[in-house]
Amino acid sequence: MNLSRQPPSAALVLQTLLTQGPLTRAELGRRAGLSSGAVTKVSAPLLDDGWITELGPSGDRQPGRPATLVGVRPERARFIGIKITSDELIGMLVDLTAAPLTTHRTPLRSRDVGTVVRAVARLVRTLSGPAGKGKGESGPAVHSIGVTVSGDVDGLSGTVRYSPFLDWHGVRLAALVEEATGIPAVIDNDVRALTVAEQWFGAGVGLSSFALVTVGAGVGCGMSVEGRVISGAYGVSGELGHLPVGSGDRVCTCGNTGCVEAVASTQAIVDQVQEQTGDADLSLADAVRLARAGDATARAVFTRAGRALGLGIASVANLIGPERIIISGEGVAAYDLFADEIRRAFADRAFGAAARCELVVRPLPFETWARGGAAMAAHRLFAPLPGRSAGATGH
Amino acid sequence: MNLSRQPPSAALVLQTLLTQGPLTRAELGRRAGLSSGAVTKVSAPLLDDGWITELGPSGDRQPGRPATLVGVRPERARFIGIKITSDELIGMLVDLTAAPLTTHRTPLRSRDVGTVVRAVARLVRTLSGPAGKGKGESGPAVHSIGVTVSGDVDGLSGTVRYSPFLDWHGVRLAALVEEATGIPAVIDNDVRALTVAEQWFGAGVGLSSFALVTVGAGVGCGMSVEGRVISGAYGVSGELGHLPVGSGDRVCTCGNTGCVEAVASTQAIVDQVQEQTGDADLSLADAVRLARAGDATARAVFTRAGRALGLGIASVANLIGPERIIISGEGVAAYDLFADEIRRAFADRAFGAAARCELVVRPLPFETWARGGAAMAAHRLFAPLPGRSAGATGH
């Protein structure tokens, strides 16, 4: 069965079961906004082809015959997610519910496109080989691969338009990965993919709108508005790191001053503490240790970072009005050092009822970035890309 | 026929014809993403009930019999839009295509809720009376009324939660207008309604995402993301006027410093030029005249307003990535005075491909605000509110 050729209601049924299942057919229809007839009709091919299954009677005591619970079959499909950073690949094999089966990390010796693509292909073999299938398990073939990169990525054409960390311009990465692996591949911006994963399987489940702010080497933001993760008409969106909310004394990697990233990225924090202490060898861990030990200079750097992040987060709340903003990324490990200032700046600047937006801190293991790619690949089951990638995921 | 009980594809067909018609059935199906069978099926009740009509053969020379053009019947339904400002009501009667039939303005002597609601009811009678129906024309009854107010408006419950200009808190305006007029009413934030009007009938037609920035007594922003005008989970969105991008020397009406509105609203511009010139009686017209005559002090005030607006607009582009940003509102009358600075700040701060977003200046007559309300009422034909207002528009 080609899932992408099923009616939209089939995708809706599968998606509802993935995120909220198992459910009785009646409850499934209610949540998906479908009649019971429509649920029965679109469920049939999904049942026949093993995407969903009947799990036996529900526990509800209802008059008449007991209702049967329906749920997805996690083992029906597998996906691989890979995040490319400037110095390593992080890969994860997941099942249909994006539950992790195996993870693997590979150092990257070069950012040369050919080298990276070959390393991706090796990592795919490692993850999908016997080790990736558990003890004695044979499992299905990998359905598709989702590769994520920071920067300006055009998922539609499968092109990395510009990735500053990799220094890549116009790399047709999806096609290269498909050629090297023989498996359909989709690519996207890493923060957007992580937002898809949160929407489907994380702190965004059931919310009509939320934002995910990632703090680390860069400061990113993914936004789900009325159930859709937005991409930007020209591939750029969620550039919270480059909102002009800060003061003008530090130059950002983009060349401007006043950017959130210019004071709140990992490197910006290290740079500032180095400058203030005169210790050019000081690491992020040192900066965190100093600040936690009460060093006023180091603390002030984190406070300033927290203020810029809080202003950026308030800007997202004022413009989009999400239900929840999730703060995550590697930088969250030091969240205690800027939490107060983030919340203070947010409370100061969120306008009216926008202040009711809930701020949630969610430390995510670094592997979660790879899960984002896998979730994105799974997501394409239901929302295939037009053109190149529609064919690619249509097997 | 109750339009809101038709299948979603019926709304889609009508909406496509409203914004892009007349079209042949084949072209209509292509644009709405429906099969020709589906187009024929959902068109039948719309034809029977007079919402759409066959307009004769298309001009296309195709082999075989000529295709028939289908279009909406503008006279099928009428809507009234009313914008409430702090000192007057602006009303407009429109047809199904939101084309203006009559406009009328009424001064408001008081902002007292009862007084305003009575004035709204009188204005509705004026607009829907014989004068509103053209020479000898009898026209259909008014289908529904859309009332717009600046501030935090909950369209779902029909409540003005807070409107600073009117000093209203928790006013159940939709129900009050329905009681006073006997006609179903919907309410919304004025900028959001204007964005709906632009999406349907203005500079937003055919765009998957755009923003509308209004400059005047306040600085507002409506956003359409992937075809939907966003509302914010808590009723607040598009508060571009309160993005913290400015310097800290002027206090905004919201109590903060650094807001776009604190330097770029009409009042902020007048205040600044008054302070700089020492002329406490100076009006906006005076300030504009001074600046156009080359007065450096007045010019600097407009330049500063332009910079704050440009930074705010760049923030929208960086976060949402719209295809186009439309700049409008009363303040646009003096656009020549801040255009350069808006474009400069935008070009400086828009990140990467977000800079490809097109900036369009669109002076809208003040009556267009009223058309926004009417367009919103018409829009509810297809996207009725759940609960209170679904019933209200379901006649």
Side-chain angles (χ1 to χ4, degrees):
Chain A
M1 186 187 70
N2 184 325
L3 203 57
S4 66
R5 285 193 206 121
Q6 291 294 309
S9 48
L12 191 60
V13 160
L14 188 49
Q15 189 164 349
T16 306
L17 287 176
L18 267 173
T19 54
Q20 303 168 46
L23 299 168
T24 63
R25 280 190 173 81
E27 183 62 20
L28 172 58
R30 201 183 61 75
R31 298 200 191 181
L34 295 171
S35 70
S36 66
V39 169
T40 302
K41 191 177 163 196
V42 301
S43 295
L46 295 172
L47 278 163
D48 287 350
D49 202 47
W51 293 92
I52 64 176
T53 186
E54 296 191 340
L55 299 164
S58 79
D60 293 356
R61 284 180 173 273
Q62 297 277 344
R65 64 188 180 127
T68 302
L69 281 175
V70 182
V72 295
R73 287 184 63 236
E75 66 275 24
R76 175 59 182 81
R78 292 183 165 192
F79 305 89
I80 285 177
I82 294 177
K83 156 133 169 160
I84 308 176
T85 75
S86 59
D87 57 5
E88 68 171 341
L89 301 180
I90 305 149
M92 185 184 278
L93 178 76
V94 307
D95 67 17
L96 178 57
T97 66
L101 300 173
T102 324
T103 62
H104 198 82
R105 296 168 80 142
T106 308
L108 273 184
R109 272 176 211 88
S110 151
R111 296 170 201 173
D112 164 74
V113 175
T115 309
V116 172
V117 170
R118 280 190 295 276
V120 165
R122 271 195 305 276
L123 181 52
V124 167
R125 282 195 295 276
T126 305
L127 288 165
S128 57
K133 296 193 173 160
K135 297 173 201 111
E137 206 185 311
S138 66
V142 172
H143 180 279
S144 52
I145 305 170
V147 181
T148 72
V149 180
S150 75
D152 180 0
V153 179
D154 180 17
L156 217 60
S157 68
T159 308
V160 178
R161 282 197 289 232
Y162 176 49
S163 180
F165 290 111
L166 294 166
D167 196 23
W168 283 5
H169 295 263
V171 174
R172 296 185 61 78
L173 183 63
L176 293 172
V177 170
E178 287 184 0
E179 280 165 34
T181 62
I183 301 173
V186 290
I187 69 171
D188 213 332
N189 169 277
D190 54 353
V191 179
R192 209 143 54 212
L194 197 55
T195 308
V196 169
E198 287 294 283
Q199 179 188 35
W200 274 56
F201 310 106
V205 169
L207 301 182
S208 85
S209 67
F210 72 94
L212 170 70
V213 175
T214 59
V215 186
V219 175
C221 177
M223 284 170 291
S224 169
V225 177
E226 302 201 3
R228 286 169 161 206
V229 176
I230 66 177
S231 298
Y234 304 106
V236 172
S237 67
E239 288 294 347
L240 187 139
H242 300 284
L243 292 184
V245 299
S247 55
D249 64 325
R250 293 196 66 82
V251 178
C252 183
T253 48
C254 75
N256 273 308
T257 58
C259 293
V260 174
E261 223 170 87
V263 292
S265 74
T266 310
Q267 193 58 50
I269 287 172
V270 171
D271 287 350
Q272 290 171 91
V273 180
Q274 283 183 353
E275 286 162 24
Q276 305 271 331
T277 58
D279 178 355
D281 296 325
L282 179 137
S283 69
L284 180 66
D286 297 331
V288 170
R289 206 176 306 115
L290 271 178
R292 287 204 178 125
D295 179 90
T297 303
R299 289 193 78 87
V301 168
F302 281 99
T303 298
R304 190 182 188 198
R307 173 133 195 101
L309 287 168
L311 293 178
I313 289 168
S315 298
V316 171
N318 289 355
L319 284 179
I320 314 301
E323 278 180 80
R324 181 182 290 171
I325 296 180
I326 306 157
I327 304 168
S328 189
E330 313 86 86
V332 163
Y335 189 70
D336 54 307
L337 296 171
F338 35 56
D340 288 352
E341 199 56 33
I342 288 179
R343 289 186 185 275
R344 191 173 302 130
F346 178 79
D348 282 355
R349 306 306 309 228
F351 186 77
R356 285 155 62 190
C357 171
E358 182 191 17
L359 299 190
V360 175
V361 180
R362 189 162 147 86
L364 296 173
F366 209 75
E367 280 75 10
T368 307
W369 284 104
R371 188 168 175 244
M376 188 189 62
H379 186 243
R380 291 277 183 259
L381 273 176
F382 316 110
L385 293 170
R388 193 200 65 81
S389 300
T393 58
H395 78 149
Chain B
M1 186 186 71
N2 184 327
L3 203 57
S4 67
R5 285 193 205 121
Q6 292 293 311
S9 47
L12 191 60
V13 160
L14 188 49
Q15 189 163 351
T16 306
L17 288 177
L18 268 173
T19 54
Q20 302 169 47
L23 300 168
T24 63
R25 281 191 171 81
E27 183 61 22
L28 172 58
R30 202 183 62 75
R31 298 202 190 178
L34 296 171
S35 70
S36 66
V39 168
T40 302
K41 191 176 164 198
V42 302
S43 296
L46 294 172
L47 277 165
D48 289 349
D49 203 45
W51 293 92
I52 63 176
T53 187
E54 296 192 339
L55 298 165
S58 78
D60 293 357
R61 285 181 171 271
Q62 296 277 345
R65 63 185 180 130
T68 302
L69 282 173
V70 182
V72 296
R73 288 185 63 238
E75 65 276 24
R76 176 60 182 80
R78 293 183 165 191
F79 305 89
I80 284 176
I82 293 177
K83 156 133 169 162
I84 307 175
T85 75
S86 59
D87 56 5
E88 68 170 341
L89 302 180
I90 304 149
M92 186 184 277
L93 178 75
V94 307
D95 67 18
L96 178 56
T97 66
L101 300 174
T102 323
T103 62
H104 198 82
R105 297 168 80 142
T106 308
L108 273 183
R109 271 175 212 91
S110 151
R111 296 170 201 172
D112 165 74
V113 175
T115 308
V116 172
V117 169
R118 279 190 297 276
V120 166
R122 271 196 304 276
L123 181 52
V124 167
R125 281 195 298 275
T126 304
L127 287 166
S128 58
K133 293 191 175 160
K135 298 174 200 108
E137 205 186 311
S138 66
V142 172
H143 181 279
S144 52
I145 304 170
V147 181
T148 72
V149 180
S150 74
D152 180 358
V153 180
D154 181 17
L156 217 61
S157 68
T159 308
V160 178
R161 283 197 288 232
Y162 176 49
S163 179
F165 289 110
L166 294 166
D167 196 24
W168 284 5
H169 295 264
V171 174
R172 296 184 60 78
L173 183 63
L176 293 172
V177 170
E178 287 184 0
E179 279 164 33
T181 61
I183 301 173
V186 291
I187 68 171
D188 212 332
N189 170 277
D190 55 354
V191 179
R192 208 141 56 212
L194 198 54
T195 308
V196 169
E198 286 294 284
Q199 178 188 35
W200 273 57
F201 310 106
V205 169
L207 301 182
S208 84
S209 66
F210 72 94
L212 170 70
V213 175
T214 60
V215 186
V219 176
C221 177
M223 285 169 291
S224 169
V225 177
E226 302 201 4
R228 286 168 162 208
V229 175
I230 66 176
S231 298
Y234 304 106
V236 172
S237 67
E239 289 293 349
L240 187 140
H242 301 284
L243 293 184
V245 298
S247 56
D249 64 326
R250 291 196 67 81
V251 178
C252 184
T253 49
C254 75
N256 272 308
T257 59
C259 293
V260 174
E261 222 169 86
V263 292
S265 74
T266 309
Q267 193 59 53
I269 288 174
V270 171
D271 287 351
Q272 290 171 91
V273 180
Q274 283 184 352
E275 287 162 23
Q276 305 272 331
T277 59
D279 178 356
D281 296 324
L282 179 137
S283 68
L284 179 65
D286 297 332
V288 169
R289 207 175 307 117
L290 271 178
R292 286 205 179 125
D295 179 272
T297 304
R299 289 194 78 86
V301 168
F302 281 98
T303 298
R304 190 183 187 196
R307 172 132 197 103
L309 287 168
L311 293 177
I313 289 168
S315 298
V316 171
N318 289 355
L319 284 179
I320 314 299
E323 278 179 80
R324 180 182 291 170
I325 297 180
I326 305 157
I327 304 168
S328 190
E330 313 85 87
V332 162
Y335 189 71
D336 54 306
L337 295 170
F338 36 57
D340 288 354
E341 199 58 32
I342 288 180
R343 290 187 186 275
R344 190 174 302 129
F346 178 79
D348 281 357
R349 306 306 310 228
F351 186 76
R356 285 157 59 189
C357 171
E358 183 191 15
L359 299 191
V360 175
V361 179
R362 190 162 146 86
L364 295 174
F366 209 74
E367 281 75 11
T368 308
W369 284 103
R371 189 168 175 243
M376 187 187 64
H379 187 242
R380 291 280 182 258
L381 274 176
F382 317 109
L385 293 169
R388 193 199 65 80
S389 299
T393 58
H395 78 148

PDB file of all heavy atoms in Angstrom, chain A residues 16-23 31 70-71:
ATOM      1  N   THR A  16      -3.548  10.503  14.271  1.00  0.00           N
ATOM      2  CA  THR A  16      -4.245  10.604  15.557  1.00  0.00           C
ATOM      3  C   THR A  16      -3.892   9.413  16.446  1.00  0.00           C
ATOM      4  O   THR A  16      -3.635   9.575  17.641  1.00  0.00           O
ATOM      5  CB  THR A  16      -5.772  10.686  15.328  1.00  0.00           C
ATOM      6  OG1 THR A  16      -6.035  11.761  14.425  1.00  0.00           O
ATOM      7  CG2 THR A  16      -6.514  10.931  16.624  1.00  0.00           C
ATOM      8  N   LEU A  17      -3.822   8.235  15.844  1.00  0.00           N
ATOM      9  CA  LEU A  17      -3.453   7.057  16.638  1.00  0.00           C
ATOM     10  C   LEU A  17      -1.997   7.131  17.081  1.00  0.00           C
ATOM     11  O   LEU A  17      -1.655   6.719  18.191  1.00  0.00           O
ATOM     12  CB  LEU A  17      -3.695   5.779  15.829  1.00  0.00           C
ATOM     13  CG  LEU A  17      -5.169   5.393  15.645  1.00  0.00           C
ATOM     14  CD1 LEU A  17      -5.283   4.175  14.749  1.00  0.00           C
ATOM     15  CD2 LEU A  17      -5.836   5.131  17.003  1.00  0.00           C
ATOM     16  N   LEU A  18      -1.126   7.656  16.221  1.00  0.00           N
ATOM     17  CA  LEU A  18       0.288   7.767  16.575  1.00  0.00           C
ATOM     18  C   LEU A  18       0.477   8.682  17.774  1.00  0.00           C
ATOM     19  O   LEU A  18       1.291   8.408  18.658  1.00  0.00           O
ATOM     20  CB  LEU A  18       1.076   8.343  15.399  1.00  0.00           C
ATOM     21  CG  LEU A  18       1.698   7.349  14.436  1.00  0.00           C
ATOM     22  CD1 LEU A  18       2.289   8.080  13.244  1.00  0.00           C
ATOM     23  CD2 LEU A  18       2.773   6.516  15.124  1.00  0.00           C
ATOM     24  N   THR A  19      -0.236   9.803  17.773  1.00  0.00           N
ATOM     25  CA  THR A  19       0.009  10.798  18.809  1.00  0.00           C
ATOM     26  C   THR A  19      -0.883  10.609  20.027  1.00  0.00           C
ATOM     27  O   THR A  19      -0.530  11.015  21.115  1.00  0.00           O
ATOM     28  CB  THR A  19      -0.182  12.226  18.265  1.00  0.00           C
ATOM     29  OG1 THR A  19      -1.481  12.327  17.675  1.00  0.00           O
ATOM     30  CG2 THR A  19       0.851  12.555  17.214  1.00  0.00           C
ATOM     31  N   GLN A  20      -2.066   9.985  19.847  1.00  0.00           N
ATOM     32  CA  GLN A  20      -2.996   9.923  20.967  1.00  0.00           C
ATOM     33  C   GLN A  20      -3.519   8.515  21.258  1.00  0.00           C
ATOM     34  O   GLN A  20      -4.304   8.337  22.182  1.00  0.00           O
ATOM     35  CB  GLN A  20      -4.193  10.854  20.697  1.00  0.00           C
ATOM     36  CG  GLN A  20      -3.783  12.306  20.457  1.00  0.00           C
ATOM     37  CD  GLN A  20      -4.924  13.155  19.909  1.00  0.00           C
ATOM     38  OE1 GLN A  20      -6.037  13.111  20.401  1.00  0.00           O
ATOM     39  NE2 GLN A  20      -4.653  13.930  18.882  1.00  0.00           N
ATOM     40  N   GLY A  21      -3.105   7.543  20.431  1.00  0.00           N
ATOM     41  CA  GLY A  21      -3.656   6.199  20.558  1.00  0.00           C
ATOM     42  C   GLY A  21      -3.069   5.429  21.712  1.00  0.00           C
ATOM     43  O   GLY A  21      -2.167   5.913  22.380  1.00  0.00           O
ATOM     44  N   PRO A  22      -3.550   4.184  21.978  1.00  0.00           N
ATOM     45  CA  PRO A  22      -4.682   3.532  21.308  1.00  0.00           C
ATOM     46  C   PRO A  22      -6.023   4.165  21.709  1.00  0.00           C
ATOM     47  O   PRO A  22      -6.151   4.683  22.816  1.00  0.00           O
ATOM     48  CB  PRO A  22      -4.627   2.089  21.810  1.00  0.00           C
ATOM     49  CG  PRO A  22      -3.381   1.958  22.605  1.00  0.00           C
ATOM     50  CD  PRO A  22      -2.944   3.323  22.991  1.00  0.00           C
ATOM     51  N   LEU A  23      -6.975   4.078  20.790  1.00  0.00           N
ATOM     52  CA  LEU A  23      -8.303   4.663  21.005  1.00  0.00           C
ATOM     53  C   LEU A  23      -9.372   3.711  20.479  1.00  0.00           C
ATOM     54  O   LEU A  23      -9.100   2.890  19.600  1.00  0.00           O
ATOM     55  CB  LEU A  23      -8.428   5.984  20.229  1.00  0.00           C
ATOM     56  CG  LEU A  23      -7.456   7.119  20.573  1.00  0.00           C
ATOM     57  CD1 LEU A  23      -7.541   8.214  19.513  1.00  0.00           C
ATOM     58  CD2 LEU A  23      -7.773   7.684  21.951  1.00  0.00           C
ATOM     59  N   ARG A  31     -11.911  12.518  17.849  1.00  0.00           N
ATOM     60  CA  ARG A  31     -10.698  13.347  17.858  1.00  0.00           C
ATOM     61  C   ARG A  31     -10.261  13.749  16.455  1.00  0.00           C
ATOM     62  O   ARG A  31      -9.671  14.793  16.254  1.00  0.00           O
ATOM     63  CB  ARG A  31      -9.553  12.605  18.557  1.00  0.00           C
ATOM     64  CG  ARG A  31      -9.911  12.328  20.002  1.00  0.00           C
ATOM     65  CD  ARG A  31      -8.686  12.044  20.834  1.00  0.00           C
ATOM     66  NE  ARG A  31      -9.089  11.535  22.131  1.00  0.00           N
ATOM     67  CZ  ARG A  31      -8.241  11.220  23.087  1.00  0.00           C
ATOM     68  NH1 ARG A  31      -6.942  11.347  22.895  1.00  0.00           N
ATOM     69  NH2 ARG A  31      -8.665  10.770  24.245  1.00  0.00           N
ATOM     70  N   VAL A  70      -8.050   0.468  19.054  1.00  0.00           N
ATOM     71  CA  VAL A  70      -7.229   0.388  17.851  1.00  0.00           C
ATOM     72  C   VAL A  70      -5.946   1.169  18.108  1.00  0.00           C
ATOM     73  O   VAL A  70      -5.981   2.238  18.724  1.00  0.00           O
ATOM     74  CB  VAL A  70      -7.988   1.000  16.642  1.00  0.00           C
ATOM     75  CG1 VAL A  70      -7.160   0.889  15.372  1.00  0.00           C
ATOM     76  CG2 VAL A  70      -9.340   0.331  16.466  1.00  0.00           C
ATOM     77  N   GLY A  71      -4.838   0.614  17.678  1.00  0.00           N
ATOM     78  CA  GLY A  71      -3.557   1.307  17.864  1.00  0.00           C
ATOM     79  C   GLY A  71      -2.635   1.078  16.683  1.00  0.00           C
ATOM     80  O   GLY A  71      -2.923   0.240  15.815  1.00  0.00           O
TER      81      GLY A  71
END
